[in-house]
Protein backbone atom coordinates (compact mmCIF):
# COMPACT_ATOMS: atom_id res chain seq x y z
CA UNK A 1 0.00 0.00 0.00
CA UNK A 2 1.35 3.41 -0.88
CA UNK A 3 0.90 6.29 1.49
CA UNK A 4 -1.52 8.84 0.12
CA UNK A 5 -1.77 12.25 1.64
CA UNK A 6 -4.66 14.69 1.40
CA UNK A 7 -2.34 17.51 2.38
CA UNK A 8 -0.69 19.64 -0.26
CA UNK A 9 2.87 20.11 0.92
CA UNK A 10 4.72 23.22 -0.09
CA UNK A 11 8.32 24.03 0.85
CA UNK A 12 7.33 26.86 3.11
CA UNK A 13 4.99 25.36 5.66
CA UNK A 14 6.27 21.82 5.83
CA UNK A 15 6.55 20.57 9.39
CA UNK A 16 8.61 17.40 9.68
CA UNK A 17 8.73 14.96 12.58
CA UNK A 18 12.08 13.14 12.74
CA UNK A 19 12.49 9.86 14.63
CA UNK A 20 15.85 8.26 15.50
CA UNK A 21 16.36 5.01 17.44
CA UNK A 22 19.35 3.37 15.71
CA UNK A 23 21.49 2.92 18.83
CA UNK A 24 21.25 4.16 22.43
CA UNK A 25 19.58 7.53 21.83
CA UNK A 26 15.78 7.73 21.72
CA UNK A 27 15.26 10.91 19.71
CA UNK A 28 12.37 12.84 18.20
CA UNK A 29 12.56 16.31 16.62
CA UNK A 30 10.29 18.79 14.92
CA UNK A 31 11.84 20.71 12.03
CA UNK A 32 10.30 23.34 9.82
CA UNK A 33 12.21 24.15 6.63
CA UNK A 34 15.61 23.44 8.12
CA UNK A 35 14.78 25.32 11.29
CA UNK A 36 14.77 23.17 14.42
CA UNK A 37 11.62 23.75 16.47
CA UNK A 38 12.50 21.04 19.00
CA UNK A 39 15.13 18.32 19.33
CA UNK A 40 14.42 15.85 22.15
CA UNK A 41 16.89 13.12 23.07
CA UNK A 42 16.80 10.59 25.89
CA UNK A 43 19.86 8.36 26.12
CA UNK A 44 20.24 4.90 27.65
CA UNK A 45 24.04 5.40 27.77
CA UNK A 46 24.17 5.05 31.57
CA UNK A 47 22.57 1.59 31.37
CA UNK A 48 25.38 0.38 29.10
CA UNK A 49 28.32 1.85 31.06
CA UNK A 50 28.97 -1.24 33.17
CA UNK A 51 29.22 -3.35 30.03
CA UNK A 52 31.72 -1.06 28.26
CA UNK A 53 29.50 -0.84 25.17
CA UNK A 54 25.89 -0.77 23.97
CA UNK A 55 23.82 -3.89 24.76
CA UNK A 56 21.27 -4.18 21.91
CA UNK A 57 18.38 -5.59 23.93
CA UNK A 58 18.73 -2.96 26.66
CA UNK A 59 18.79 -0.23 24.00
CA UNK A 60 15.66 -1.61 22.29
CA UNK A 61 13.71 -1.99 25.54
CA UNK A 62 14.63 1.58 26.52
CA UNK A 63 13.28 2.90 23.21
CA UNK A 64 9.97 1.07 23.73
CA UNK A 65 9.68 2.45 27.24
CA UNK A 66 10.62 6.07 26.49
CA UNK A 67 9.68 6.87 22.89
CA UNK A 68 6.19 8.15 23.68
CA UNK A 69 7.56 10.51 26.33
CA UNK A 70 10.22 11.75 23.92
CA UNK A 71 7.56 12.27 21.22
CA UNK A 72 5.40 14.27 23.65
CA UNK A 73 8.40 16.29 24.74
CA UNK A 74 9.34 17.12 21.12
CA UNK A 75 5.78 18.20 20.26
CA UNK A 76 5.49 20.29 23.42
CA UNK A 77 8.91 21.87 22.76
CA UNK A 78 7.84 22.84 19.24
CA UNK A 79 4.41 23.97 20.46
CA UNK A 80 2.79 21.65 17.92
CA UNK A 81 0.16 18.92 17.95
CA UNK A 82 0.33 15.70 15.95
CA UNK A 83 -2.26 17.11 13.55
CA UNK A 84 0.23 19.88 12.61
CA UNK A 85 2.82 17.41 11.29
CA UNK A 86 3.11 17.12 7.48
CA UNK A 87 5.80 14.48 7.05
CA UNK A 88 7.43 11.71 9.11
CA UNK A 89 11.14 10.95 8.60
CA UNK A 90 12.65 7.95 10.35
CA UNK A 91 16.04 6.24 10.46
CA UNK A 92 15.71 2.79 8.92
CA UNK A 93 19.42 1.87 8.80
CA UNK A 94 22.23 1.31 9.74
CA UNK A 95 22.00 0.37 13.39
CA UNK A 96 20.81 -2.22 15.89
CA UNK A 97 17.82 -3.79 14.18
CA UNK A 98 15.75 -4.32 17.35
CA UNK A 99 16.36 -0.68 18.28
CA UNK A 100 15.60 0.66 14.80
CA UNK A 101 12.32 -1.26 14.63
CA UNK A 102 10.92 0.73 17.54
CA UNK A 103 11.30 4.02 15.65
CA UNK A 104 10.20 2.50 12.35
CA UNK A 105 7.04 1.07 13.94
CA UNK A 106 6.15 4.40 15.53
CA UNK A 107 6.76 6.18 12.22
CA UNK A 108 4.51 3.79 10.30
CA UNK A 109 1.76 4.03 12.91
CA UNK A 110 1.83 7.84 12.85
CA UNK A 111 1.94 7.99 9.07
CA UNK A 112 -1.07 5.69 8.80
CA UNK A 113 -3.07 7.31 11.58
CA UNK A 114 -2.41 10.88 10.46
CA UNK A 115 -2.53 10.06 6.74
CA UNK A 116 0.73 11.84 6.01
CA UNK A 117 3.76 10.73 3.99
CA UNK A 118 6.65 8.74 5.39
CA UNK A 119 10.33 8.76 4.44
CA UNK A 120 12.88 6.23 5.65
CA UNK A 121 16.41 7.65 5.81
CA UNK A 122 19.95 6.34 6.21
CA UNK A 123 21.51 7.38 9.51
CA UNK A 124 24.97 7.70 8.01
CA UNK A 125 23.81 10.22 5.43
CA UNK A 126 21.63 11.99 8.01
CA UNK A 127 24.82 12.89 9.92
CA UNK A 128 25.83 14.97 6.88
CA UNK A 129 22.61 17.03 7.27
CA UNK A 130 23.30 17.94 10.90
CA UNK A 131 25.25 21.04 9.81
CA UNK A 132 22.57 22.38 7.45
CA UNK A 133 19.74 21.72 9.88
CA UNK A 134 21.68 23.60 12.55
CA UNK A 135 21.72 26.68 10.36
CA UNK A 136 24.73 26.30 8.04
CA UNK A 137 24.08 27.12 4.41
CA UNK A 138 25.64 24.06 2.73
CA UNK A 139 26.01 24.02 -1.04
CA UNK A 140 26.38 20.96 -3.30
CA UNK A 141 28.67 19.40 -4.38
CA UNK A 142 30.75 18.73 -1.29
CA UNK A 143 32.99 16.15 0.31
CA UNK A 144 31.34 14.66 3.40
CA UNK A 145 33.21 12.98 6.22
CA UNK A 146 31.12 10.89 8.60
CA UNK A 147 33.02 9.91 11.76
CA UNK A 148 30.92 8.05 14.27
CA UNK A 149 30.99 5.03 16.55
CA UNK A 150 30.20 2.69 13.66
CA UNK A 151 31.54 4.44 10.56
CA UNK A 152 34.37 6.47 9.10
CA UNK A 153 33.34 7.28 5.54
CA UNK A 154 34.36 9.87 2.98
CA UNK A 155 31.79 10.73 0.31
CA UNK A 156 31.56 12.97 -2.69
CA UNK A 157 28.02 14.31 -2.39
CA UNK A 158 26.65 15.51 -5.74
CA UNK A 159 23.16 16.23 -4.42
CA UNK A 160 20.71 14.90 -1.84
CA UNK A 161 20.29 11.61 -3.73
CA UNK A 162 23.75 10.98 -5.22
CA UNK A 163 26.70 9.87 -3.10
CA UNK A 164 30.03 8.44 -4.24
CA UNK A 165 31.97 6.54 -1.60
CA UNK A 166 35.58 7.79 -1.76
CA UNK A 167 37.00 5.91 1.21
CA UNK A 168 36.10 4.28 4.47
CA UNK A 169 37.60 2.40 7.36
CA UNK A 170 38.66 -1.14 6.57
CA UNK A 171 38.25 -2.25 10.19
CA UNK A 172 37.30 -0.21 13.29
CA UNK A 173 35.55 3.15 13.05
CA UNK A 174 37.30 6.20 14.54
CA UNK A 175 34.72 6.43 17.36
CA UNK A 176 35.14 2.72 18.03
CA UNK A 177 38.90 3.31 18.42
CA UNK A 178 38.18 6.08 20.97
CA UNK A 179 35.83 3.72 22.84
CA UNK A 180 38.27 0.76 22.80
CA UNK A 181 41.30 2.81 23.81
CA UNK A 182 39.28 4.41 26.62
CA UNK A 183 38.46 0.90 27.83
CA UNK A 184 42.15 -0.06 27.78
CA UNK A 185 42.96 3.12 29.73
CA UNK A 186 40.09 2.48 32.20
CA UNK A 187 38.40 5.76 31.28
CA UNK A 188 34.88 4.36 30.89
CA UNK A 189 32.25 4.48 28.15
CA UNK A 190 31.68 6.35 25.86
CA UNK A 191 35.36 6.80 25.23
CA UNK A 192 35.47 9.89 23.01
CA UNK A 193 34.58 12.56 25.59
CA UNK A 194 36.68 10.79 28.28
CA UNK A 195 39.79 10.66 26.06
CA UNK A 196 39.31 14.28 25.00
CA UNK A 197 39.17 15.37 28.64
CA UNK A 198 42.32 13.46 29.62
CA UNK A 199 44.16 14.46 26.43
CA UNK A 200 43.70 18.12 27.36
CA UNK A 201 46.12 17.63 30.25
CA UNK A 202 48.64 15.49 28.35
CA UNK A 203 51.74 15.94 26.20
CA UNK A 204 51.70 14.79 22.58
CA UNK A 205 54.48 12.50 21.42
CA UNK A 206 54.20 12.34 17.62
CA UNK A 207 56.47 9.30 17.48
CA UNK A 208 54.37 7.17 19.81
CA UNK A 209 51.48 6.09 17.57
CA UNK A 210 51.33 6.14 13.81
CA UNK A 211 48.40 5.11 11.64
CA UNK A 212 48.48 3.28 8.35
CA UNK A 213 48.05 5.90 5.61
CA UNK A 214 47.55 3.39 2.75
CA UNK A 215 49.59 5.75 0.56
CA UNK A 216 47.23 7.17 -2.04
CA UNK A 217 44.04 5.57 -0.83
CA UNK A 218 41.33 7.47 1.04
CA UNK A 219 40.64 4.42 3.23
CA UNK A 220 41.34 4.33 6.95
CA UNK A 221 42.36 1.72 9.50
CA UNK A 222 41.96 2.25 13.24
CA UNK A 223 42.32 -1.24 14.64
CA UNK A 224 46.14 -1.19 14.78
CA UNK A 225 46.34 1.89 16.99
CA UNK A 226 44.39 0.28 19.82
CA UNK A 227 46.90 -2.63 19.83
CA UNK A 228 49.73 -0.10 19.75
CA UNK A 229 48.23 1.65 22.79
CA UNK A 230 47.93 -1.69 24.59
CA UNK A 231 51.55 -2.67 23.84
CA UNK A 232 52.77 0.76 24.88
CA UNK A 233 50.90 0.40 28.16
CA UNK A 234 52.37 -3.05 28.76
CA UNK A 235 55.90 -1.84 28.01
CA UNK A 236 55.52 1.10 30.38
CA UNK A 237 54.19 -1.08 33.19
CA UNK A 238 56.98 -3.63 32.61
CA UNK A 239 59.64 -0.90 32.61
CA UNK A 240 58.24 0.46 35.91
CA UNK A 241 58.40 -2.99 37.50
CA UNK A 242 61.97 -3.54 36.32
CA UNK A 243 62.97 -0.18 37.77
CA UNK A 244 61.44 -1.17 41.11
CA UNK A 245 63.10 -4.60 40.91
CA UNK A 246 59.69 -6.39 40.91
CA UNK A 247 59.06 -9.69 39.13
CA UNK A 248 57.00 -9.63 35.93
CA UNK A 249 53.38 -10.65 36.64
CA UNK A 250 50.65 -12.14 34.46
CA UNK A 251 49.33 -9.53 32.02
CA UNK A 252 45.78 -8.62 32.99
CA UNK A 253 44.83 -5.90 30.49
CA UNK A 254 42.16 -4.39 32.72
CA UNK A 255 44.70 -3.84 35.50
CA UNK A 256 47.49 -2.34 33.38
CA UNK A 257 46.20 1.24 33.30
CA UNK A 258 45.86 1.28 37.10
CA UNK A 259 49.65 0.89 37.33
CA UNK A 260 50.31 4.19 35.54
CA UNK A 261 50.12 7.72 36.89
CA UNK A 262 47.36 10.13 35.82
CA UNK A 263 50.00 12.11 33.86
CA UNK A 264 51.10 9.01 31.96
CA UNK A 265 47.48 8.19 31.03
CA UNK A 266 46.95 11.81 29.94
CA UNK A 267 50.02 11.65 27.70
CA UNK A 268 48.84 8.42 26.03
CA UNK A 269 45.35 9.89 25.51
CA UNK A 270 46.87 13.05 23.98
CA UNK A 271 49.14 11.15 21.58
CA UNK A 272 46.34 8.77 20.55
CA UNK A 273 43.89 11.62 19.92
CA UNK A 274 46.54 13.54 17.98
CA UNK A 275 47.28 10.57 15.69
CA UNK A 276 43.59 9.83 14.96
CA UNK A 277 42.63 13.45 14.33
CA UNK A 278 45.70 14.01 12.12
CA UNK A 279 44.74 11.21 9.74
CA UNK A 280 41.09 12.31 9.57
CA UNK A 281 42.13 15.86 8.65
CA UNK A 282 44.76 14.74 6.17
CA UNK A 283 42.42 12.41 4.24
CA UNK A 284 39.44 14.78 4.28
CA UNK A 285 41.53 17.61 2.84
CA UNK A 286 43.06 15.26 0.26
CA UNK A 287 39.56 14.11 -0.79
CA UNK A 288 38.46 17.72 -1.34
CA UNK A 289 41.60 18.41 -3.37
CA UNK A 290 41.15 15.32 -5.54
CA UNK A 291 37.47 15.86 -6.20
CA UNK A 292 38.09 19.52 -7.00
CA UNK A 293 35.22 20.76 -4.85
CA UNK A 294 35.40 23.71 -2.46
CA UNK A 295 33.26 22.50 0.42
CA UNK A 296 33.78 19.99 3.23
CA UNK A 297 30.99 18.87 5.58
CA UNK A 298 31.56 16.87 8.75
CA UNK A 299 29.16 14.80 10.84
CA UNK A 300 29.02 12.04 13.45
CA UNK A 301 29.88 11.77 17.14
CA UNK A 302 33.65 12.17 16.71
CA UNK A 303 33.04 15.56 15.06
CA UNK A 304 32.28 16.80 18.60
CA UNK A 305 35.99 16.35 19.36
CA UNK A 306 37.55 19.78 19.96
CA UNK A 307 40.98 18.85 18.64
CA UNK A 308 39.49 17.47 15.42
CA UNK A 309 37.39 20.61 15.01
CA UNK A 310 40.34 22.95 15.62
CA UNK A 311 42.65 21.07 13.27
CA UNK A 312 39.98 20.84 10.56
CA UNK A 313 39.24 24.59 10.82
CA UNK A 314 42.97 25.39 10.42
CA UNK A 315 43.47 22.96 7.52
CA UNK A 316 40.34 24.18 5.70
CA UNK A 317 41.45 27.81 6.08
CA UNK A 318 44.99 27.01 4.85
CA UNK A 319 43.58 25.19 1.80
CA UNK A 320 40.83 27.67 0.91
CA UNK A 321 38.05 25.19 1.72
CA UNK A 322 34.60 26.16 3.03
CA UNK A 323 34.10 23.96 6.10
CA UNK A 324 30.73 23.15 7.69
CA UNK A 325 30.80 21.70 11.20
CA UNK A 326 27.55 20.84 13.01
CA UNK A 327 27.04 22.47 16.41
CA UNK A 328 28.63 20.14 19.00
CA UNK A 329 25.27 18.89 20.28
CA UNK A 330 24.19 18.11 16.72
CA UNK A 331 27.23 15.87 16.08
CA UNK A 332 25.80 13.13 18.29
CA UNK A 333 22.78 11.07 17.33
CA UNK A 334 19.65 13.20 17.08
CA UNK A 335 16.39 13.27 15.15
CA UNK A 336 16.68 16.82 13.76
CA UNK A 337 19.29 15.64 11.24
CA UNK A 338 16.91 12.80 10.27
CA UNK A 339 14.10 15.30 9.71
CA UNK A 340 16.51 17.55 7.75
CA UNK A 341 17.49 14.77 5.36
CA UNK A 342 13.89 13.51 5.15
CA UNK A 343 12.65 16.96 4.14
CA UNK A 344 15.38 17.36 1.51
CA UNK A 345 14.56 13.92 0.04
CA UNK A 346 10.84 14.68 0.06
CA UNK A 347 11.42 17.81 -1.98
CA UNK A 348 13.26 15.64 -4.53
CA UNK A 349 10.22 13.38 -4.88
CA UNK A 350 11.30 10.58 -2.54
CA UNK A 351 8.51 8.64 -0.74
CA UNK A 352 8.51 5.46 1.35
CA UNK A 353 5.65 3.02 1.77
CA UNK A 354 4.42 1.14 4.81
CA UNK A 355 6.60 -1.86 3.90
CA UNK A 356 9.83 -0.18 4.97
CA UNK A 357 11.77 -2.11 7.56
CA UNK A 358 15.05 -1.85 9.47
CA UNK A 359 18.54 -2.88 8.30
CA UNK A 360 21.83 -3.27 10.13
CA UNK A 361 24.09 -1.89 7.39
CA UNK A 362 24.12 1.24 5.28
CA UNK A 363 23.66 0.98 1.55
CA UNK A 364 26.21 3.80 1.31
CA UNK A 365 29.04 1.80 2.89
CA UNK A 366 30.85 -1.45 2.12
CA UNK A 367 31.16 -4.01 4.84
CA UNK A 368 34.70 -5.22 5.40
CA UNK A 369 33.98 -6.85 8.73
CA UNK A 370 32.75 -10.42 8.89
O1 LIG B 1 27.32 9.50 15.86
P1 LIG B 1 27.30 8.86 17.19
O2 LIG B 1 26.58 9.60 18.30
O3 LIG B 1 26.69 7.43 17.11
C1 LIG B 1 26.93 6.58 16.03
O4 LIG B 1 26.26 6.77 14.98
O5 LIG B 1 27.84 5.74 16.17
O6 LIG B 1 28.83 8.62 17.61
C2 LIG B 1 29.19 8.02 18.80
C3 LIG B 1 30.70 7.97 18.84
C4 LIG B 1 31.25 7.17 20.03
O7 LIG B 1 32.22 6.26 19.56
C5 LIG B 1 31.87 8.26 20.91
O8 LIG B 1 32.99 7.81 21.68
C6 LIG B 1 32.29 9.27 19.88
O9 LIG B 1 31.24 9.29 18.94
N1 LIG B 1 32.47 10.61 20.46
C7 LIG B 1 33.63 11.28 20.47
C8 LIG B 1 33.41 12.47 21.20
N2 LIG B 1 32.10 12.52 21.56
C9 LIG B 1 31.52 11.36 21.08
N3 LIG B 1 34.85 10.94 20.00
C10 LIG B 1 35.86 11.81 20.21
N4 LIG B 1 35.73 12.97 20.89
C11 LIG B 1 34.53 13.35 21.39
N5 LIG B 1 34.41 14.49 22.06
ZN1 LIG C 1 25.31 8.31 14.56
Amino acid sequence: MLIKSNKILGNIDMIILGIETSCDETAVAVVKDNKILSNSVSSSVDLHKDFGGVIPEIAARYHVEYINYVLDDALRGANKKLKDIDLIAVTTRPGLVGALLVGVSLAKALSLALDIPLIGVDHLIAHLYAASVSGESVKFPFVGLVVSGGHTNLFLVHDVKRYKLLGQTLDDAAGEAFDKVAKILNLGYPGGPAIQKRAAGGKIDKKLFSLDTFNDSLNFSFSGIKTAVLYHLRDKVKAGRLLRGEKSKAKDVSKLAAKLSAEEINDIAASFQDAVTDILVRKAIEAVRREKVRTLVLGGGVTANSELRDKMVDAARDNGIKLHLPAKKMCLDNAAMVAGLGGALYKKGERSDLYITAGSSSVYSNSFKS
Side-chain angles (χ1 to χ4, degrees):
M1 176 183 36
L2 277 173
I3 297 287
K4 292 199 191 84
S5 173
N6 333 344
K7 294 195 180 184
I8 311 281
L9 300 178
N11 288 355
I12 307 301
D13 291 327
M14 198 151 130
I15 297 175
I16 309 161
L17 187 84
I19 301 173
E20 156 65 43
T21 60
S22 66
C23 194
D24 55 346
E25 265 86 38
T26 313
V28 180
V30 181
V31 167
K32 183 180 175 183
D33 284 323
N34 262 358
K35 190 169 173 294
I36 301 173
L37 302 185
S38 68
N39 195 10
S40 301
V41 183
S42 178
S43 180
S44 61
V45 66
D46 287 342
L47 304 179
H48 306 286
K49 276 196 166 125
D50 289 348
F51 304 97
V54 176
I55 305 297
E57 180 166 337
I58 295 178
R61 283 174 182 275
Y62 186 92
H63 292 316
V64 172
E65 220 170 304
Y66 286 91
I67 193 126
N68 285 340
Y69 297 111
V70 180
L71 171 64
D72 285 347
D73 189 64
L75 289 169
R76 210 177 311 115
N79 201 16
K80 299 285 173 206
K81 301 257 181 273
L82 274 177
K83 66 172 173 47
D84 301 322
I85 305 296
D86 297 310
L87 171 69
I88 311 274
V90 61
T91 301
T92 55
R93 53 175 51 229
L96 306 168
V97 173
L100 284 162
L101 284 172
V102 179
V104 170
S105 302
L106 173 67
K108 286 184 189 185
L110 288 175
S111 165
L112 191 61
L114 301 168
D115 191 20
I116 55 173
L118 169 71
I119 293 208
V121 309
D122 188 289
H123 178 91
L124 198 52
I125 302 302
H127 272 304
L128 291 178
Y129 285 80
S132 51
V133 89
S134 42
E136 298 269 312
S137 169
V138 180
K139 296 207 168 52
F140 296 109
F142 61 80
V143 162
L145 172 64
V146 182
V147 255
S148 67
H151 293 87
T152 308
N153 286 37
L154 268 168
F155 295 102
L156 171 62
V157 183
H158 295 284
D159 58 49
V160 68
K161 289 175 97 167
R162 288 189 300 148
Y163 301 83
K164 180 179 165 202
L165 183 61
L166 304 172
Q168 66 173 82
T169 181
L170 302 181
D171 40 57
D172 292 350
E176 198 176 350
F178 271 94
D179 295 335
K180 286 178 175 171
V181 166
K183 201 169 181 178
I184 294 170
L185 299 179
N186 274 349
L187 299 180
Y189 176 84
I195 295 225
Q196 178 178 318
K197 202 165 161 202
R198 299 300 295 263
K203 288 188 299 297
I204 295 169
D205 179 352
K206 289 264 180 205
K207 291 190 289 307
L208 212 49
F209 308 119
S210 60
L211 281 154
D212 202 335
T213 59
F214 298 113
N215 299 318
D216 281 349
S217 144
L218 292 173
N219 288 328
F220 302 88
S221 167
F222 295 105
S223 71
I225 194 164
K226 103 196 145 213
T227 318
V229 169
L230 181 62
Y231 287 170
H232 177 71
L233 207 63
R234 271 187 189 163
D235 291 348
K236 271 194 99 62
V237 172
K238 210 164 149 191
R241 282 201 184 113
L242 284 174
L243 268 177
R244 293 190 298 273
E246 294 169 12
K247 280 207 182 119
S248 182
K249 291 189 192 141
K251 299 171 187 77
D252 182 345
V253 173
S254 64
K255 294 202 178 113
L256 283 175
K259 308 272 180 218
L260 296 190
S261 68
E263 288 71 36
E264 285 171 311
I265 298 285
N266 292 353
D267 292 349
I268 295 173
S271 300
F272 162 79
Q273 180 178 264
D274 176 66
V276 172
T277 50
D278 266 359
I279 201 93
L280 290 169
V281 172
R282 180 174 155 175
K283 299 230 171 191
I285 300 295
E286 175 60 14
V288 174
R289 194 191 62 76
R290 275 192 211 176
E291 296 303 325
K292 300 185 175 54
V293 294
R294 308 192 60 82
T295 307
L296 174 63
V297 178
L298 260 62
V302 182
T303 313
N305 185 274
S306 302
E307 182 157 328
L308 177 63
R309 296 172 81 89
D310 292 348
K311 282 182 181 172
M312 208 61 95
V313 167
D314 289 348
R317 191 196 45 233
D318 294 348
N319 288 277
I321 295 166
K322 174 82 186 139
L323 174 68
H324 295 284
L325 290 169
K328 280 197 183 177
K329 192 179 145 227
M330 293 294 295
C331 297
L332 302 169
D333 288 351
N334 65 84
M337 66 185 194
V338 173
L341 173 57
L345 284 168
Y346 184 86
K347 285 170 195 166
K348 288 280 171 194
E350 189 96 348
R351 307 286 184 271
S352 299
D353 60 32
L354 285 178
Y355 293 101
I356 54 164
T357 186
S360 58
S361 57
S362 170
V363 291
Y364 298 97
S365 192
N366 297 321
S367 179
F368 289 98
K369 289 187 175 180
S370 55

